[in-house]
Amino acid sequence: MGSGTDEAGGGWSRRRLVSVLGGAAASAALAGCADDSGGTGGRAVPEARETAGTSAPGSSASPSGPRPLYLGTYTSAEGGGRGIGVASYDPVSGRITGGGTITGVPDPSYLAVHPDGGTLYAANERARGAVTAVRLSDRTVLGSRATGGTHTCHVSVHPGGRWLLSADYGSGTVAVHPIDASGALGERTDQVTHRRPAPGPGQQGPHAHQVVTAPDGGHVLAVDLGTDTVYSYRLDERNGTLTEVAQAHTRAGAGPRHLTFHPGGRYAYLANEADDTVAVCGYDAATGRLTIGAPQSTGAKAGTNYPAQFAVTPDGAHAFLANRGDNTLARYAVEADGARLRLLGTVPVAGDFPRQIALSPDGGLLFAANQRSGTVGVFRVDAASGEPRLTGEPFASPVAVCAVPL
């Protein structure tokens, strides 16, 4: 990934170009982006037989039994998937077993699960941005809603379970949709555009890359790569509207991509995609203000590297960073109750271009979605040292860009 700029005149984003590298022809991807029909409802059509003994998606299986795993992809990319991949994993061995596909969901590049475990939400990363809801009990697509922006790249559910938040990379916008009792989405209640500050060096506009609620539930934070800014908003939980309360700025050209909070809630870790750095951030729950610390190393040794995302263990003792280009997982010791990160080293990710990482709910396994190799690697995380060790052969998943273990 480069400067983050759009191709001149075409609206063809740097982000989208990277999404189709390594086995995805640009012509096929362009055709996919030109299709602005958005998501459509419909029944899920499994690609493969269900695995015997696999828990129903969203169920509360015993920790020793198979657990659900959902996989995001680009359906418009050459060699991409047909929808949301459905699989299961063994929480002891880490072995992944395929279980089919939920179709009718175009370009589901990022996924999030409702707090009650009953509904899955997908960002439809297309020229006409949209978000889709899927009922997990029977894998029924409940329908899609337009975000009002372009190339929706991230979704998250507010902890109260009543609002879906989404970020549109292409337009630099953040949207809010209501969630009804069935898990389905209503019409958009708000949309904000990152109009200030001006785009950073090499950027042609804002690029909202993530929107997440702070652990205290009081504020919503949106990370914008194009403006080198993290925006803090207050969400009106009655009306579903956002009010900006603060901005935090990285150094020029850092290109912030993804923010992950420490379980203690007072600190968060920011991955800066454009300048290959990370930063520890202080968070003030009273005001929603984020204070971004000095840039630190990603541990990458490759000439070109784009840090993608942090994951922090449930006990808050260790943090991991996905390094695209270096194709490693950086491991950090978390010190001073979250205020410091100490780089311990890196391990090969066993794949190419780790776009996203996620920990199992107990923190014992780490999943890495490797976009260019089309694989998901699984690592056993040592509880004491935090050392990740590959559990076996990576699981094949077309253009793997997101893995969500339940």
Side-chain angles (χ1 to χ4, degrees):
M1 303 178 78
S3 64
T5 59
D6 290 343
E7 293 297 308
W12 178 240
S13 68
R14 182 270 317 146
R15 171 188 175 82
R16 189 64 175 159
L17 280 174
V18 170
S19 79
V20 297
L21 288 176
S27 59
L30 279 166
C33 277
D35 176 5
D36 64 355
S37 60
T40 57
R43 300 287 297 184
V45 182
E47 280 186 343
R49 283 186 314 179
E50 294 303 308
T51 304
T54 300
S55 305
S59 68
S60 55
S62 164
S64 61
R67 300 291 300 147
L69 177 69
Y70 298 98
L71 305 168
T73 186
Y74 285 107
T75 58
S76 62
E78 182 179 332
R82 295 178 55 231
I84 299 171
V86 178
S88 64
Y89 69 95
D90 186 310
V92 176
S93 69
R95 182 175 182 269
I96 299 176
T97 304
T101 301
I102 300 171
T103 60
V105 186
D107 290 318
S109 67
Y110 204 90
L111 309 173
V113 179
H114 192 279
D116 67 11
T119 311
L120 182 71
Y121 300 96
N124 305 130
E125 194 168 340
R126 291 196 162 187
R128 180 179 182 268
V131 286
T132 298
V134 179
R135 186 170 60 220
L136 292 179
S137 61
D138 59 2
R139 303 183 187 176
T140 295
V141 177
L142 299 177
S144 300
R145 296 288 185 177
T147 63
T150 62
H151 296 105
T152 309
C153 66
H154 189 269
V155 289
S156 63
V157 184
H158 188 267
R162 295 183 54 230
W163 305 101
L164 182 74
L165 308 165
S166 57
D168 299 306
Y169 182 87
S171 52
T173 50
V174 172
V176 184
H177 287 82
I179 300 173
D180 69 21
S182 72
L185 298 169
E187 290 291 343
R188 185 178 70 248
T189 54
D190 200 10
Q191 181 193 56
V192 295
T193 303
H194 297 158
R195 302 187 186 280
R196 62 179 183 88
Q203 304 288 349
Q204 294 183 351
H207 295 302
H209 217 304
Q210 181 203 23
V211 58
V212 63
T213 305
D216 62 276
H219 295 90
V220 169
L221 289 87
V223 181
D224 196 295
L225 186 151
T227 62
D228 292 327
T229 301
V230 180
Y231 301 82
S232 295
Y233 296 97
R234 173 74 69 177
L235 174 67
D236 183 327
E237 295 188 49
R238 173 174 293 183
N239 299 310
T241 54
L242 296 169
T243 301
E244 184 181 313
V245 296
Q247 293 183 8
H249 306 289
T250 66
R251 64 180 182 177
R257 174 187 176 93
H258 200 280
L259 185 78
T260 302
F261 275 90
H262 183 270
R266 296 171 55 205
Y267 300 97
Y269 311 116
L270 184 65
N272 295 315
E273 174 180 321
D275 73 354
D276 188 23
T277 64
V278 299
V280 177
C281 306
Y283 171 70
D284 183 354
T287 64
R289 185 172 299 277
L290 199 72
T291 302
I292 300 174
Q296 298 180 220
S297 173
T298 64
K301 295 180 173 57
T304 303
N305 183 64
Y306 308 105
Q309 179 176 349
F310 269 106
V312 184
T313 55
D315 63 5
H318 293 92
F320 305 95
L321 175 72
N323 280 322
R324 297 169 299 166
D326 197 55
N327 289 341
T328 58
L329 295 172
R331 175 171 59 110
Y332 297 85
V334 179
E335 301 173 336
D337 295 325
R340 288 199 305 267
L341 289 178
R342 179 165 55 89
L343 181 64
L344 298 176
T346 62
V347 298
V349 80
D352 189 1
F353 222 64
R355 172 72 169 271
Q356 178 261 358
I357 57 175
L359 289 160
S360 59
D362 65 359
L365 295 173
L366 185 148
F367 297 79
N370 300 309
Q371 180 176 352
R372 293 182 182 172
S373 57
T375 57
V376 178
V378 186
F379 296 79
R380 169 63 64 185
V381 178
D382 183 87
S385 68
E387 182 180 0
R389 296 181 179 178
L390 192 66
T391 61
E393 290 296 317
F395 177 76
S397 182
V399 189
V401 292
C402 188
V404 177
L406 301 189

